Amino acid sequence: LRAHPAPAAPAARTATFSALVFSPWRAVDGRVERSRDNGATWQRVPTPDGVRVIAAGSSGGDICWIAAEDGVLRTTDGRTWTRTTRPTSEPLAGIVPVSAQRATVFTTSGARWETSNGGRTWTPAR
């Protein structure tokens, strides 16, 4: 008698989901721009003097967080910027806002810092 190999287990199914979420805020050439027509046009948004923007992001509407060369700023009204405490002395590379109070910043070394109180304090992300 010949032994037959056991049937192979069915291949696991995996799915990759990718969703592009439009943000009405963006960083371009060290400045912040905003769109009010779903990206058809963009207008420059004034920021405090000397701020060179690395990344900008929004959790919606008038809320925007920016990672700048010298720290983190945010607006909740689309006009007035508030400087938050600096999460680290490392150079910042990006920011992901969640709400007016919550955001995560990324450093050039890959470290992540989170705030849940509008940037008053930052803690290392796990």
Side-chain angles (χ1 to χ4, degrees):
L1 289 173
R2 249 171 122 178
H4 292 283
R13 291 184 179 207
T14 60
T16 302
F17 296 94
S18 175
L20 295 176
V21 178
F22 175 76
S23 172
W25 298 85
R26 69 181 185 183
V28 176
D29 297 328
R31 66 181 187 270
V32 175
E33 293 182 344
R34 184 177 189 182
S35 176
R36 294 185 185 269
D37 56 11
N38 293 320
T41 61
W42 294 87
Q43 294 79 38
R44 185 174 183 174
V45 176
T47 55
D49 288 340
V51 171
R52 177 140 176 87
V53 178
I54 296 166
S58 172
S59 60
D62 289 335
I63 299 166
C64 180
W65 291 76
I66 58 176
E69 286 181 346
D70 63 345
V72 177
L73 293 92
R74 76 179 175 115
T75 182
T76 57
D77 64 9
R79 295 179 307 277
T80 307
W81 294 95
T82 302
R83 188 172 295 279
T84 75
T85 60
R86 186 171 174 86
T88 179
S89 60
E90 288 185 67
L92 302 179
I95 192 158
V96 176
V98 176
S99 69
Q101 297 298 312
R102 297 175 47 109
T104 301
V105 293
F106 299 84
T107 67
T108 55
S109 71
R112 296 179 304 141
W113 294 81
E114 298 174 325
T115 184
S116 60
N117 58 18
R120 285 191 306 274
T121 59
W122 297 85
T123 56
R126 294 184 219 157

